[in-house]
Coordinates of all heavy atoms in Angstrom, one line a residue:
A459 N 30.0 1.1 -30.7 CA 29.4 2.1 -31.5 C 28.5 1.4 -32.5 O 28.9 0.4 -33.1 CB 30.5 2.9 -32.2
I460 N 27.3 1.9 -32.6 CA 26.3 1.3 -33.5 C 25.7 2.3 -34.4 O 25.8 3.5 -34.1 CB 25.2 0.5 -32.8 CG1 24.3 1.4 -32.0 CG2 25.8 -0.6 -31.9 CD1 23.1 0.8 -31.4
N461 N 25.1 1.9 -35.5 CA 24.5 2.8 -36.5 C 23.1 3.1 -36.2 O 22.4 3.7 -37.0 CB 24.8 2.3 -37.9 CG 24.1 1.0 -38.2 OD1 23.8 0.2 -37.2 ND2 23.8 0.7 -39.4
K462 N 22.6 2.6 -35.0 CA 21.2 2.8 -34.7 C 21.1 3.4 -33.3 O 22.1 3.7 -32.7 CB 20.4 1.5 -34.8 CG 20.3 1.0 -36.2 CD 19.6 -0.4 -36.3 CE 19.6 -0.9 -37.7 NZ 18.6 -0.2 -38.6
K463 N 19.9 3.5 -32.7 CA 19.7 4.2 -31.4 C 19.6 3.2 -30.2 O 19.6 3.7 -29.1 CB 18.4 5.0 -31.5 CG 18.5 6.2 -32.5 CD 17.2 7.0 -32.5 CE 17.3 8.2 -33.4 NZ 16.1 9.0 -33.4
D464 N 19.6 1.9 -30.5 CA 19.5 1.0 -29.4 C 19.8 -0.4 -29.9 O 19.8 -0.7 -31.1 CB 18.0 1.0 -28.9 CG 18.0 0.5 -27.4 OD1 19.0 0.2 -26.9 OD2 16.9 0.5 -26.8
M465 N 20.0 -1.3 -29.0 CA 20.2 -2.7 -29.3 C 19.9 -3.6 -28.1 O 20.1 -3.1 -27.0 CB 21.6 -3.0 -29.8 CG 22.7 -2.8 -28.8 SD 24.4 -3.2 -29.5 CE 25.3 -3.2 -27.9
D466 N 19.5 -4.8 -28.3 CA 19.4 -5.8 -27.3 C 20.5 -6.8 -27.5 O 20.7 -7.4 -28.6 CB 18.1 -6.6 -27.4 CG 16.9 -5.7 -27.0 OD1 17.1 -4.5 -26.6 OD2 15.7 -6.1 -27.2
Y467 N 21.3 -7.0 -26.5 CA 22.6 -7.8 -26.7 C 22.8 -8.8 -25.6 O 22.1 -8.8 -24.6 CB 23.8 -6.9 -26.8 CG 24.2 -6.3 -25.5 CD1 25.3 -6.8 -24.9 CD2 23.5 -5.3 -24.9 CE1 25.7 -6.3 -23.6 CE2 23.9 -4.8 -23.7 CZ 25.0 -5.3 -23.0 OH 25.4 -4.8 -21.8
S468 N 23.7 -9.7 -25.8 CA 24.0 -10.7 -24.8 C 25.5 -10.9 -24.6 O 26.3 -10.7 -25.6 CB 23.3 -12.1 -25.2 OG 23.8 -12.6 -26.4
V469 N 25.9 -11.4 -23.5 CA 27.3 -11.8 -23.1 C 27.1 -13.1 -22.4 O 26.6 -13.2 -21.3 CB 28.0 -10.7 -22.3 CG1 29.4 -11.1 -22.1 CG2 27.9 -9.3 -22.8
V470 N 27.7 -14.2 -23.0 CA 27.6 -15.5 -22.4 C 29.0 -16.0 -22.1 O 29.9 -15.8 -22.8 CB 26.9 -16.5 -23.4 CG1 26.5 -17.8 -22.7 CG2 25.7 -15.8 -24.0
L471 N 29.1 -16.6 -20.9 CA 30.3 -17.0 -20.3 C 30.5 -18.5 -20.2 O 29.6 -19.2 -19.8 CB 30.5 -16.4 -18.9 CG 31.8 -16.7 -18.1 CD1 32.9 -15.9 -18.8 CD2 31.6 -16.2 -16.7

Side-chain angles (χ1 to χ4, degrees):
I460 64 175
N461 62 336
K462 295 178 183 285
K463 296 180 180 180
D464 203 1
M465 67 177 190
D466 292 351
Y467 74 105
S468 62
V469 185
V470 191
L471 184 68

